[in-house]
Amino acid sequence: FINGKGGSQPLGLLNGSNKLTIAKQSNQAAGTIVVANIDKMCAQIKVDNPSSVLWLYNRPEIHDQLVSLYRPTGTAGVLAALYSAGQPGNPASPANPTGAMLSGYPLVDSEHLAALGTEGDLILLDASSYLVGDDRSGTEIAQSAHLKFDYAQTAFRMIKYTDGQPRYTSVFTRHKGTKQLSTLVTLAARA
């Protein structure tokens, strides 16, 4: 559902035509994430369902970058963190067991995302805009005592047919304005 190319597999998030890629900052170092990246991604997310907006990230790869994101709050103020983990008000859930948040949206770790500095290492999406199809026939289970007969074992096969693709086929431009919006926003490569 993330990297699928379509055809014999679901069309993944990163291969849909509705993906909006935010360019890196002109002076941004390779393999980094800066506050301006997060701000631009948040500004260009199209929200269909506010409770379904979340960040997907490759935690071991980019955790250090996220905990160092701070926004100055004035000449005499303190720095305000964009990232928070497991604090009151950030309850844990099955999808987000640590309760980690970035700019108010939950962070969900996925090992299927790219390494730091590569497009797809950090994704902001409205998960309600990804459609999953199910044939509703249940899981087909078959067994064979013949396949592993020499080893005194029984082999099982389980098949479940599903499909998926982004709901939208393009990015959006508001009636009044020039900025593009999408339910899936990624950060361009920073190499």
Side-chain angles (χ1 to χ4, degrees):
F1 297 119
I2 294 175
N3 295 303
K5 303 219 184 303
S8 62
Q9 56 187 262
L11 179 60
L13 294 167
L14 295 175
N15 291 312
S17 56
N18 70 319
K19 178 179 72 172
L20 178 62
T21 303
I22 303 299
K24 68 176 189 165
Q25 295 300 105
S26 59
N27 58 351
Q28 186 170 347
T32 61
I33 297 172
V34 296
V35 172
N37 300 144
I38 303 303
D39 290 344
K40 287 179 180 178
M41 291 175 80
C42 288
Q44 293 186 257
I45 184 78
K46 179 186 183 314
V47 178
D48 285 342
N49 182 354
S51 64
S52 295
V53 177
L54 57 92
W55 296 93
L56 289 176
Y57 76 128
N58 189 335
R59 187 185 51 75
E61 292 285 324
I62 68 172
H63 176 77
D64 293 343
Q65 294 291 311
L66 298 181
V67 296
S68 64
L69 291 174
Y70 287 91
R71 181 185 314 286
T73 58
T75 56
V78 296
L79 298 175
L82 273 73
Y83 171 85
S84 60
Q87 300 180 8
N90 298 347
S93 69
N96 185 6
T98 64
M101 305 282 277
L102 179 63
S103 286
Y105 298 120
L107 279 158
V108 177
D109 179 27
S110 174
E111 65 183 15
H112 302 288
L113 297 184
L116 177 64
T118 309
E119 181 182 358
D121 60 350
L122 181 64
I123 299 170
L124 180 59
L125 79 137
D126 182 339
S128 69
S129 70
Y130 189 82
L131 305 174
V132 176
D134 180 356
D135 69 356
R136 295 183 179 244
S137 64
T139 304
E140 176 190 321
I141 301 174
Q143 72 179 37
S144 171
H146 308 292
L147 181 64
K148 300 270 187 170
F149 179 80
D150 294 345
Y151 303 101
Q153 296 177 347
T154 300
F156 290 90
R157 177 187 72 199
M158 291 179 258
I159 300 173
K160 176 68 177 157
Y161 294 100
T162 59
D163 200 359
Q165 70 179 34
R167 173 181 292 162
Y168 302 109
T169 57
S170 65
V171 296
F172 297 87
T173 302
R174 289 187 157 191
H175 176 65
K176 304 235 182 203
T178 58
K179 290 276 187 186
Q180 291 185 321
L181 302 175
S182 179
T183 55
L184 174 73
V185 183
T186 65
L187 185 55
R190 286 123 15 242

